[in-house]
Amino acid sequence: MADALFGRLSVDSLAVLHVFEDATINNMVDSGAAGLVIVGSVAAILVLKVFRLWTPLFRDWLFSVDHKRIGVMYMALALVMLARGVIEGVVMRWNQSAALGGGPLDPDHFGQLFSTHGTIMIFFVAMPFIFGLMNFVVPLQIGARDMAFPVLNQISLALTATGAALLMISLVVGEFTTGGWTAYPPYTGAVFSPGVGPDYWIWAILLSGVGSTLTGLNFAVTIYKERAPGMTLMRMPLFCWTALVTSILVVFALPPLTAAAALQALDRYLDFHFFTNDLGGNMMVYANLFWMFGHPEVYILILPAFGVYSEISATFAAKRLYGYETLVGATLCIAVISFMVWVHHFFTMGQSATINAAFGIATLLIAIPTGVKIYDWMATLNLGRIRMTVPIVYMTGFFFLFVIGGLSGIMLANPSIDFQVHNSLFLVGHFHNVIIPGVLFGILAAIHYWFPKVFGFRLHEGLGKLAAVLWIVGFSVTFFPLYGLGLMGMPRRSASFQDPSYEPLMQVAFYGSLIILLALTTVVLTIVVSIVYRRHLATPLGDPWDGRTLEWWTSAPPPPWNFAVRPQVTGVDAFAAAKERGDVYAPLDHYEPITMPAKTSIGFVVLVTTTLLGFAMVWWLWWLAIVALALLVGAIVVGSFYPPTEITIPADDVAREDRKWRESARQDRGVTRDEEISALNHGRAAPDMVAAE
């Protein structure tokens, strides 16, 4: 029975106390994780207080509507959640390496681990990473001042952060669902799972899903309406094309997931029975709604990474991108077919052979435009003067590993094969074989590629290459054994096993996960070392890689207004064309005042109130839910009576900063490809172009 004041909350809800009740290994891991979150939060607060960073945090970041700062905050959130996701993956592999006859973790705890791991890595690592990357790069690449709806952009970030906050809170107070990242009913229904775990999943997904949908709308409108003069759709960089298609997928794919989570909430809170087969509902409705989102989601994640590979292959081969039109066409084909394959996720659930065959064929067809992209990137690199920088190392790993993952997907497109291995670790190997090289490697390559544009200094090349190699090796050692284990019959989501033949490969996978943890640590070390040596690595002139697209035609970091005068685009690779003409840093004759949106606190208010609302709904704190909802609605209503405030930057201020940058660039001699990673690279690269084949 829920208490009127505290709802379902009790002292037993605090995970950090579990070890004191029963000092088992399971409870040590549970309480240790909760304690780590608490200690980390306290440490962050102390750092902000000691270094007096509270005011800059709110003034320059949390209240900012600048797309570049919002992009950085998205990616910082994703990096924190990545750390948790990787650590949970290591703990799972550790448990299974010693799971012969029963592992050190309770089955329920193991169920929470794979559920949080999947939920975090999909919704709060991959999606914030790609949204952050798109936020920073897209407006610059299309020559825009900002997003079409800057305040909405801030609110979208707040809703994503709310979902992540609820996931972190679940580690400290209560528990998470054991129903996997898919949260299938009736397993997650109130009868079978009366605890708070499924409710944490529901509210995290509902609130962050609304934010993601708004983000998709914002990007689509921005790309349609805010392009620089002369930039037609077929003159956009490939990354912008993949961002546009991703935005359209988000707008159409997220609502089914939001609807599924909302219907599940009605089932759990108001005793509806949408998914109860014997009371008029149908569990398969949930499966269809979820996977109508779930398979387009794969391409929501991977298409921006494909855009990254398009950009870095052209830049580091010093060539125009091969097959621009075919890459655009392949991207559009993937978008359409991605909505026609969702049933292959439940080939084993009993639909007819005809339906299985139709969706199996569609699954095979979607491999064709994906293969076209691979060949186009290889053709771009062919005969180019390739620089084996960190992004190219990641891309090399992607070529080998992603193709293997894709081939295993072709195997699973056959319903007969899928029926045999669907519930095995073979499927886990396949999924990770696509997502990690396809998405995570692309994101890590993008971070190294665009980091000097974001912060004005390069990342350390040696440590970056070490991290890339560790990721490639760690992934291979961790996930390749899962194919063999799956074919041997090891089921997925299993906390223990009885067949001793599984144990050797399980232990290999655990050692591989330690290499992945070392890779992540090396990424963090790369960032820290680069910050320490940022003067040596500084690239304030903004073009350290001999870039080809408009984002490199600004200082680093870019000014709040991005471009003093919006560029006139005459073709693909507008910046490369300007460098060929030799007038890229020529003085401008005329400047005008620039109007920009002012800072606002509405995003922070949304973050606080929706987090309180979600927590209150999880724990049946109805009074707190009413207060939080009233504050949220009140803030929106009150804010609607005030017109959006803007600030105007005088033309003299714009001119002063722009002329200073252009003059510095003209005085710099530029660096050759051989000097690219030396201290001589101040952000002006000497053009190095291979004639297009």
Side-chain angles (χ1 to χ4, degrees):
M1 191 69 179
D3 183 88
L5 182 61
F6 295 106
R8 293 190 282 183
L9 272 174
S10 67
V11 175
D12 292 337
S13 304
L14 298 175
V16 75
L17 301 179
H18 293 171
V19 71
F20 299 105
E21 299 169 1
D22 186 9
T24 61
I25 294 177
N26 181 80
N27 286 345
M28 288 179 186
V29 173
D30 187 21
S31 298
L36 190 62
V37 172
I38 295 171
V39 171
S41 301
V42 172
I45 292 171
L46 290 176
V47 168
L48 292 170
K49 180 176 177 60
V50 170
F51 292 96
R52 300 180 180 178
L53 297 175
W54 282 111
T55 299
L57 174 65
F58 281 89
R59 180 192 63 215
D60 299 335
W61 292 92
L62 296 181
F63 290 175
S64 175
V65 295
D66 185 341
H67 70 97
K68 298 180 289 295
R69 292 183 180 270
I70 288 175
V72 171
M73 287 188 284
Y74 262 118
M75 299 192 79
L77 171 67
L79 188 60
V80 171
M81 300 305 287
L82 175 63
R84 178 180 170 184
V86 169
I87 291 171
E88 287 181 334
V90 172
V91 173
M92 283 190 288
R93 298 270 74 83
W94 163 68
N95 180 78
Q96 288 194 316
S97 71
L100 181 61
L105 300 181
D106 293 345
D108 186 74
H109 189 181
F110 186 82
Q112 291 183 53
L113 277 173
F114 70 68
S115 300
T116 52
H117 175 78
T119 303
I120 285 171
M121 296 301 277
I122 295 294
F123 295 106
F124 301 110
V125 173
M127 291 189 73
F129 263 137
I130 65 168
F131 286 157
L133 193 61
M134 289 161 57
N135 250 291
F136 189 90
V137 175
V138 167
L140 286 167
Q141 282 198 337
I142 64 174
R145 299 264 185 239
D146 207 315
M147 296 286 286
F149 306 113
V151 176
L152 186 65
N153 198 23
Q154 187 192 68
I155 292 172
S156 299
L157 169 63
L159 290 170
T160 300
T162 291
L166 291 173
L167 264 292
M168 298 305 288
I169 291 170
S170 73
L171 199 58
V172 179
V173 185
E175 59 188 8
F176 197 66
T177 182
T178 56
W181 78 283
T182 56
Y184 277 152
Y187 185 85
T188 52
V191 173
F192 196 91
S193 299
V196 299
D199 299 318
Y200 268 120
W201 185 92
I202 287 170
W203 293 103
I205 297 306
L206 268 176
L207 294 168
S208 65
V210 172
S212 297
T213 304
L214 296 176
T215 298
L217 288 167
N218 204 349
F219 275 113
V221 174
T222 299
I223 295 172
Y224 284 137
K225 295 293 187 181
E226 300 296 327
R227 300 191 305 277
M231 181 171 280
T232 62
L233 288 175
M234 292 307 292
R235 290 175 178 173
M236 290 196 309
L238 246 298
F239 183 80
C240 291
W241 265 109
T242 58
L244 174 60
V245 172
T246 295
S247 303
I248 296 169
L249 292 179
V250 166
V251 170
F252 284 98
L254 263 294
L257 174 68
T258 305
L263 294 176
Q264 199 171 43
L266 291 171
D267 274 13
R268 288 183 60 84
Y269 283 81
L270 297 178
D271 204 26
F272 283 40
H273 295 286
F274 289 109
F275 309 126
T276 310
N277 286 351
D278 57 349
L279 291 174
N282 189 339
M283 180 267 164
M284 289 304 297
V285 172
Y286 181 91
N288 279 280
L289 284 172
F290 184 91
W291 289 112
M292 285 173 66
F293 148 81
H295 201 83
E297 167 69 2
V298 173
Y299 295 99
I300 288 171
L301 301 181
I302 210 163
L303 282 178
F306 284 175
V308 171
Y309 293 129
S310 297
E311 300 296 329
I312 65 176
S313 62
T315 297
F316 293 114
K319 287 178 61 180
R320 290 190 61 178
L321 186 65
Y322 182 90
Y324 175 91
E325 292 81 4
T326 58
L327 284 167
V328 172
T331 301
L332 295 173
C333 287
I334 288 172
V336 173
I337 302 174
S338 71
F339 283 99
M340 302 165 62
V341 298
W342 80 88
V343 172
H344 75 216
H345 288 278
F346 44 94
F347 274 157
T348 62
M349 289 189 181
Q351 59 270 2
S352 71
T354 303
I355 292 176
N356 282 353
F359 281 88
I361 292 169
T363 304
L364 292 171
L365 289 176
I366 204 168
I368 296 173
T370 306
V372 167
K373 287 177 172 285
I374 299 289
Y375 283 114
D376 275 345
W377 295 324
M378 293 173 65
T380 301
L381 294 170
N382 182 46
L383 300 180
R385 289 197 283 274
I386 301 172
R387 291 110 80 189
M388 284 304 295
T389 59
V390 173
I392 292 297
V393 175
Y394 278 115
M395 191 170 189
T396 303
F398 158 80
F399 276 138
F400 288 99
L401 299 177
F402 182 80
V403 168
I404 293 172
L407 291 174
S408 63
I410 295 296
M411 295 170 61
L412 292 169
N414 184 319
S416 300
I417 296 175
D418 184 86
F419 194 89
Q420 296 298 317
V421 300
H422 182 84
N423 198 41
S424 76
L425 286 178
F426 188 96
L427 195 79
V428 177
H430 157 70
F431 182 75
H432 287 83
N433 211 161
V434 172
I435 292 298
I436 292 181
V439 179
L440 187 58
F441 285 10
I443 289 166
L444 293 169
I447 290 173
H448 202 93
Y449 181 57
W450 277 298
F451 192 93
K453 175 57 64 176
V454 178
F455 294 106
F457 60 93
R458 293 176 288 110
L459 287 173
H460 190 280
E461 190 75 11
L463 286 172
K465 286 182 178 176
L466 175 60
V469 171
L470 287 172
W471 275 110
I472 293 168
V473 173
F475 166 82
S476 302
V477 177
T478 301
F479 292 102
F480 283 168
L482 302 191
Y483 287 114
L485 286 163
L487 293 175
M488 291 166 65
M490 175 65 190
R492 55 180 172 152
R493 307 191 189 100
S494 179
S496 62
F497 54 87
Q498 304 301 321
D499 188 340
S501 65
Y502 298 157
E503 194 169 34
L505 288 179
M506 283 293 191
Q507 292 178 350
V508 171
F510 168 58
Y511 295 134
S513 71
L514 293 179
I515 299 175
I516 289 178
L517 182 60
L518 181 59
L520 177 61
T521 305
T522 307
V523 169
V524 175
L525 180 63
T526 302
I527 296 172
V528 172
V529 170
S530 301
I531 292 172
V532 172
Y533 292 99
R534 61 188 177 277
R535 293 184 182 274
H536 180 81
L537 300 167
T539 55
L541 302 181
D543 179 29
W545 312 124
D546 189 20
R548 309 184 54 78
T549 45
L550 287 181
E551 76 270 26
W552 305 108
W553 202 349
T554 68
S555 60
W561 52 84
N562 292 344
F563 300 93
V565 176
R566 296 186 70 188
Q568 179 71 43
V569 177
T570 58
V572 179
D573 294 344
F575 184 44
K579 286 190 287 188
E580 288 179 14
R581 293 194 304 266
D583 60 358
V584 67
Y585 300 115
L588 300 180
D589 298 327
H590 179 67
Y591 294 89
E592 293 182 354
I594 297 174
T595 300
M596 300 292 294
K599 296 172 182 176
T600 176
S601 61
I602 185 62
F604 182 72
V605 172
V606 169
L607 169 62
V608 173
T609 54
T610 53
T611 301
L612 288 175
L613 175 62
F615 183 80
M617 294 301 295
V618 167
W619 290 99
W620 299 357
L621 302 170
W622 309 124
W623 62 271
L624 180 59
I626 293 170
V627 170
L629 185 60
L631 290 173
L632 175 61
V633 173
I636 294 173
V637 171
V638 171
S640 68
F641 284 95
Y642 295 90
T645 56
E646 296 177 331
I647 57 174
T648 300
I649 298 96
D652 289 344
D653 293 348
V654 176
R656 187 182 308 111
E657 185 164 340
D658 187 65
R659 286 169 179 161
K660 179 181 178 182
W661 163 63
R662 289 174 183 270
E663 177 63 24
S664 298
R666 287 197 301 273
Q667 291 179 359
D668 194 277
R669 68 175 178 83
V671 294
T672 65
R673 57 191 292 114
D674 296 326
E675 302 166 324
E676 194 171 60
I677 62 173
S678 73
L680 297 173
N681 188 352
H682 302 139
R684 182 178 179 183
D688 180 20
M689 176 68 177
V690 177
E693 295 295 327

